[in-house]
Amino acid sequence: MIITICMSMSLRHRLPEICRILEAAGHEVLTPVDTREFDYEGANDHQRADLKRDKDLIRTHYEKIKVSDAILVLNEDLAGKPRYIGGNSFLEMGFAHVLDIPIYLMQDVPESPYRSEMLAMDPIVLNGDLSLIPSSLSADLSAAVG
């Protein structure tokens, strides 16, 4: 399957390991644009918005989601926020939902003002186990039917 990873840029250190595991399982992995040169944690909201505009990050990631079989949201603990899903990841979940693309969450849906919306998208919670992602959508559908 083609899987697009959605995540907070503060978790980008996790990408190499996650990609290695998914690729070893036979998946093609699409990742966010590399922004390592940008001090995301040290930037303010306006600087982050400028980066997103200048590199067209939201549309670029949407295009990746459109050609994917599924998305994987890396909602891991971040700076005291359990199972964090930020604004961009929530938006990307919405894109996938509208496109009828399955949504996998690394951890359970976090407490959030948008929790009911996330639950309504019927994400598949992996509880950290990437091996639960099927090798194909037909395998996923058979498991759901069977």
Side-chain angles (χ1 to χ4, degrees):
M1 284 199 308
I2 300 172
I3 299 173
T4 294
I5 295 179
C6 303
M7 59 183 227
S8 165
M9 293 314 293
S10 297
L11 290 170
R12 62 183 164 219
H13 65 279
R14 294 279 288 132
L15 269 179
E17 177 189 6
I18 299 297
C19 289
R20 181 185 54 75
I21 292 168
L22 291 173
E23 289 167 351
H27 300 291
E28 179 181 342
V29 182
L30 304 178
T31 61
V33 171
D34 185 356
T35 58
R36 279 180 286 189
E37 79 285 350
F38 183 77
D39 180 13
Y40 201 81
E41 287 75 24
N44 65 36
D45 287 339
H46 293 287
Q47 292 166 323
R48 290 177 182 181
D50 287 343
L51 171 74
K52 291 172 187 187
R53 260 196 275 350
D54 294 346
K55 293 194 178 275
D56 203 15
L57 296 180
I58 295 171
R59 280 189 192 90
T60 299
H61 212 63
Y62 172 71
E63 293 300 324
K64 292 176 183 179
I65 292 169
K66 279 184 7 183
V67 300
S68 297
D69 298 306
I71 67 167
L72 169 62
V73 180
L74 296 186
N75 63 321
E76 298 181 345
D77 296 352
L78 183 63
K81 298 173 187 168
R83 305 177 316 275
Y84 180 73
I85 294 178
N88 273 2
S89 293
F90 177 60
L91 185 64
E92 292 157 355
M93 288 173 67
F95 293 154
H97 177 71
V98 169
L99 294 168
D100 286 324
I101 294 171
I103 300 166
Y104 291 94
L105 295 182
M106 187 65 113
Q107 303 298 333
D108 198 7
V109 177
E111 292 301 323
S112 160
Y114 314 113
R115 183 174 166 81
S116 63
E117 286 81 4
M118 287 187 265
L119 290 168
M121 294 180 211
D122 295 322
I124 301 156
V125 177
L126 301 174
N127 293 313
D129 186 354
L130 293 172
S131 72
L132 295 176
I133 298 175
S135 58
S136 69
L137 283 180
S138 59
D140 192 27
L141 292 174
S142 332
V145 172

